[in-house]
Amino acid sequence: MRQGSLAVVDTERAIKLGTLFVVEARLRTMLHWIFSLLTGSLLNPFFYLASLGIGVGTFINSRAGSGGVDGVKYIVFLAPALLASVAIQDFMGEVTFPVLQGFKWEKLFFAMNATPLSGRQIALGTYFSAMLRTVGSVLIYFAVLVGFKAVHPAQAWPMMLTSLFAAACFAAIMLAAAAATENDDLFLNLMGRLLIMPLFLFSGTFYPLTSMPIPLQAIGWISPLWHATEIGRWVSYGHSIPGTMIAIHFIYLTVLLVVGLLWAFNRFEYRLSK
Amino acid sequence: MHKESLIQAKGLTKLYGDFAAVKGIDFSVHKGESFGFLGPNGAGKSTTMRIIAATLTRTSGEISILGKDPAERGPEIRAHLGVVPQQDNLDQALTVTDNLYIYGRYFGLSRKFIRAKIEELLDFAQLVEKRDVKVETLSGGMKRRLTIARALISEPEILMLDEPTTGLDPQARHILWDRLFRLKEQGVTLLITTHYMDEAEQLCDRLMVMDKGSIMAEDSPSGLIKKYSTKEVLEVRFGSDKNAEVSPQLSTLCERMEVLPDRILMYADDAELLLEEIRKKGLHPVTSLVRRSSLEDVFLRLTGRSLVE
């Protein structure tokens, strides 16, 4: 067995490109279940749009008359929320389960940290690979939305980018939260029951948030999905919101992004050096 | 000839609040040697290993690894280490080959280099037939060999093994020892922690005996036995109740004696002769065993406790 990596390992390159190597490894791992990822990404929008967009939509449109909901057909009203929702859920999944696996279940991050990789690079690599996977989901979802005439192809870039941005902001917080948790069972329970479900139901996804009583509207105000949905509807069909509210949506999401990433870096370095 | 030191530590200390896991230890490891930390659980071996692996920051003292301070240049140091942790942390859902490949990429190695290296490592770890098998289906011994192979992918300057055979069955242990012995023969610098004396004797050129965060002794396995024990040991059993009762009569017959709950260890250079003298006194042990002194005896002498408790 040869020894002497001083000749084999290009230390400077290894340190500089560490984040990319983590992304490569994560994508390579995802390829192992690419089939289920793709079928999930295709079937999920199809089922939602067929049942809610067409089924519930037909019922609502017949009651709402020519004005529809928020001045458009129900499926058009629904589409930006569903796009943002899938982006958030997929991004969140890819920054929580791999992190629990990395710190708790298989302790893979400790193996990674025994190489030149730093905690920050492992965090960023996990984050960016989740982002790439979410780009895939959003592209497929958008294509299905176009197929259902729920969006116009011309709105592809702004709608996909705003959904992805909102998802990236929330995922930064979830990346940190997953890295901070010691109790994975509790974390997954809280995430599933107290986070995903309420956010999905109380973020103005299926009806305008303003139709809810004020205390329930408050859930929407803190929900990144509501902020993303509002921006998405504005981009998609010109949903009317004041300029200050647009700024507030973007500022809120950006704060989540910055706080989340800084918290995540801190937790990764701490957990790995404990 | 002056030996090149790869690791040098002076007054190395690690505190967790009030608890001192490592208490100001000094040691150095030379290129090409197989250096072992021997001690029971909680001796501070793994903590010391993690400081050397540049993943845990020391509280005080000095340490230099490959001429660098791990607190300041951790990633640079880690680029030249191969680490085998106490628990295998392989990606269970991936194949044997993928685990090696991905790990190689973390060191920034080229795909071409890794592919060639994988063939060499699969052969070394006797995992050629398992190359496309998912890790979750491998036996404990195979996983351990794969973790060692993974640590060798970057041709490290130092291979660090934390309790390499703990939890393995005897056959798997012997296969692993054979692999590690080959590495040692090839001049790979090995750093091993173990609480198994036979492992330490087989694999280490030089040993540091640790207990409660401190160094108790440091020498070659044979040097330690020579210094802290006699050539032979006589183990006698008179029955659990009687061991303590007869011990005063035995103590005058040998250099040193340890009365354990189940047996008495008597230290002498000629244990057969000692057994005869015991019988001449009219004492007849239920069982007797003459054996060579081991590192277990050294540890007992140094700490008054057994290594595996």
Side-chain angles (χ1 to χ4, degrees):
Chain A
M1 193 63 56
R2 281 181 308 172
Q3 220 189 343
S5 63
L6 295 176
V8 170
V9 178
D10 179 346
T11 312
E12 206 177 307
R13 180 171 180 268
I15 293 171
K16 205 159 86 181
L17 300 178
T19 304
L20 277 182
F21 298 137
V22 179
V23 172
E24 182 195 345
R26 283 291 312 148
L27 293 181
R28 202 179 162 88
T29 306
M30 285 179 207
L31 279 180
H32 285 262
W33 42 87
I34 187 74
F35 181 74
S36 59
L37 288 181
L38 281 178
T39 46
S41 293
L42 269 171
L43 291 179
N44 183 337
F46 182 81
F47 288 146
Y48 264 109
L49 289 166
S51 80
L52 288 171
I54 298 178
V56 179
T58 307
F59 175 72
I60 289 175
N61 292 336
S62 66
R63 300 289 174 103
S66 58
V69 180
D70 202 19
V72 289
K73 276 188 174 174
Y74 185 62
I75 198 168
V76 175
F77 170 79
L78 195 62
L82 290 182
L83 189 67
S85 164
V86 80
I88 285 174
Q89 282 188 35
D90 282 4
F91 210 139
M92 185 168 73
E94 287 298 336
V95 294
T96 47
F97 291 101
V99 171
L100 295 177
Q101 185 189 25
F103 282 123
K104 287 281 282 195
W105 301 333
E106 290 177 4
K107 299 192 182 296
L108 296 176
F109 287 167
F110 295 93
M112 292 161 80
N113 191 225
T115 73
L117 294 175
S118 66
R120 178 181 288 230
Q121 287 173 323
I122 298 169
L124 277 177
T126 308
Y127 183 75
F128 286 133
S129 57
M131 184 181 282
L132 289 175
R133 182 248 195 272
T134 311
V135 167
S137 302
V138 168
L139 276 170
I140 293 173
Y141 213 110
F142 194 85
V144 178
L145 288 173
V146 171
F148 275 82
K149 292 193 170 69
V151 290
H152 194 277
Q155 295 145 354
W157 286 116
M159 274 190 76
M160 285 194 290
L161 281 177
T162 49
S163 296
L164 199 62
F165 172 69
C169 298
F170 184 52
I173 292 283
M174 293 310 292
L175 177 76
T181 190
E182 295 284 350
N183 186 339
D184 47 330
D185 281 339
L186 179 70
F187 177 80
L188 289 175
N189 270 323
L190 288 177
M191 190 175 91
R193 289 172 193 166
L194 289 179
L195 201 67
I196 298 176
M197 195 54 97
L199 290 196
F200 193 50
L201 294 176
F202 295 97
S203 295
T205 315
F206 304 106
Y207 39 79
L209 190 67
T210 45
S211 54
M212 300 287 278
I214 290 287
L216 287 178
Q217 281 190 42
I219 300 176
W221 299 337
I222 57 166
S223 162
L225 179 56
W226 176 66
H227 294 275
T229 299
E230 285 292 286
I231 297 172
R233 285 180 178 146
W234 170 61
V235 171
S236 168
Y237 60 84
H239 165 60
S240 140
I241 22 175
T244 48
M245 275 314 289
I246 294 171
I248 286 171
H249 293 316
F250 275 106
I251 290 168
Y252 179 78
L253 291 171
T254 307
V255 168
L256 290 186
L257 177 73
V258 174
V259 171
L261 283 181
L262 290 176
W263 184 27
F265 294 156
N266 176 281
R267 287 300 87 186
F268 269 71
E269 300 285 359
Y270 171 76
R271 274 299 269 282
L272 291 169
S273 63
K274 207 162 61 160
Chain B
M1 204 179 84
H2 177 70
K3 287 181 192 166
E4 186 189 343
S5 272
L6 297 185
I7 304 169
Q8 279 187 311
K10 206 168 178 192
L12 187 67
T13 301
K14 178 67 188 176
L15 304 174
Y16 289 102
D18 293 336
F19 173 71
V22 178
K23 297 174 186 166
I25 61 173
D26 300 351
F27 63 91
S28 62
V29 180
H30 310 302
K31 193 177 175 72
E33 82 170 328
S34 176
F35 186 86
F37 294 98
L38 177 73
N41 292 333
K45 308 184 301 280
S46 295
T47 305
T48 308
M49 283 288 256
R50 286 199 57 206
I51 296 172
I52 297 170
T55 53
L56 185 67
T57 314
R58 65 187 182 272
T59 307
S60 61
E62 295 301 319
I63 185 162
S64 142
I65 298 138
L66 305 169
K68 298 176 178 114
D69 183 339
E72 286 164 14
R73 300 169 76 178
E76 282 173 65
I77 293 168
R78 296 200 298 272
H80 304 296
L81 301 178
V83 178
V84 179
Q86 216 170 100
Q87 284 179 316
D88 296 320
N89 45 20
L90 299 156
D91 196 327
Q92 303 285 332
L94 296 185
T95 63
V96 167
T97 309
D98 273 350
N99 264 279
L100 294 172
Y101 179 87
I102 281 176
Y103 212 66
R105 292 294 288 159
Y106 292 150
F107 285 91
L109 302 171
S110 73
R111 294 179 178 87
K112 190 179 160 199
F113 175 87
I114 297 172
R115 281 195 199 104
K117 192 74 191 171
I118 283 175
E119 299 309 316
E120 190 187 329
L121 290 171
L122 288 174
D123 189 42
F124 165 77
Q126 297 170 305
L127 290 168
V128 175
E129 285 166 19
K130 300 283 181 185
R131 59 184 307 142
D132 296 321
V133 162
K134 277 190 181 176
V135 168
E136 61 193 1
T137 64
L138 298 181
S139 70
M142 288 175 184
K143 284 181 187 168
R144 208 73 191 126
R145 298 204 299 274
L146 177 58
T147 308
I148 294 171
R150 186 182 70 174
L152 289 166
I153 193 117
S154 56
E155 300 187 356
E157 284 283 296
I158 305 165
L159 179 64
M160 303 173 64
L161 302 121
D162 197 357
E163 302 280 356
T165 65
T166 297
L168 297 185
D169 62 54
Q171 195 194 355
R173 287 184 82 195
H174 283 283
I175 295 174
L176 203 69
W177 282 350
D178 169 61
R179 298 291 103 180
L180 293 176
F181 200 76
R182 277 165 201 247
L183 291 177
K184 183 167 132 53
E185 278 182 330
Q186 288 161 22
V188 172
T189 309
L190 295 176
L191 203 57
I192 300 168
T193 76
T194 182
H195 63 269
Y196 294 126
M197 56 179 182
D198 47 355
E199 188 161 278
E201 275 190 78
Q202 288 233 13
L203 296 175
C204 300
D205 302 322
R206 206 150 56 90
L207 277 174
M208 202 164 87
V209 182
M210 288 186 79
D211 189 38
K212 295 175 182 165
S214 301
I215 298 173
M216 309 303 288
E218 188 192 318
D219 208 331
S220 64
S222 59
L224 285 170
I225 291 169
K226 209 180 231 175
K227 208 180 284 178
Y228 296 101
S229 191
T230 51
K231 207 170 160 190
E232 292 184 338
V233 186
L234 173 65
E235 292 193 11
V236 284
R237 292 167 201 259
F238 289 89
S240 304
D241 302 335
K242 283 193 176 170
N243 285 341
E245 193 184 310
V246 298
S247 63
Q249 287 173 270
L250 300 176
S251 61
T252 54
L253 300 175
C254 59
E255 282 186 33
R256 197 169 66 84
M257 197 172 80
E258 295 280 353
V259 184
L260 303 180
D262 62 332
R263 62 196 195 279
I264 300 172
L265 306 180
M266 301 178 72
Y267 293 91
D269 282 332
D270 188 340
E272 290 285 359
L273 192 68
L274 178 62
L275 184 58
E276 269 178 45
E277 283 176 32
I278 292 171
R279 283 182 179 140
K280 274 184 202 161
K281 278 196 163 230
L283 296 168
H284 296 283
V286 182
T287 62
S288 61
L289 171 75
V290 171
R291 62 167 174 81
R292 287 180 56 220
S293 266
S294 72
L295 289 170
E296 178 75 42
D297 300 300
V298 172
F299 193 79
L300 197 60
R301 167 78 186 276
L302 290 169
T303 68
R305 291 183 297 115
S306 176
L307 257 172
V308 183
E309 289 180 319

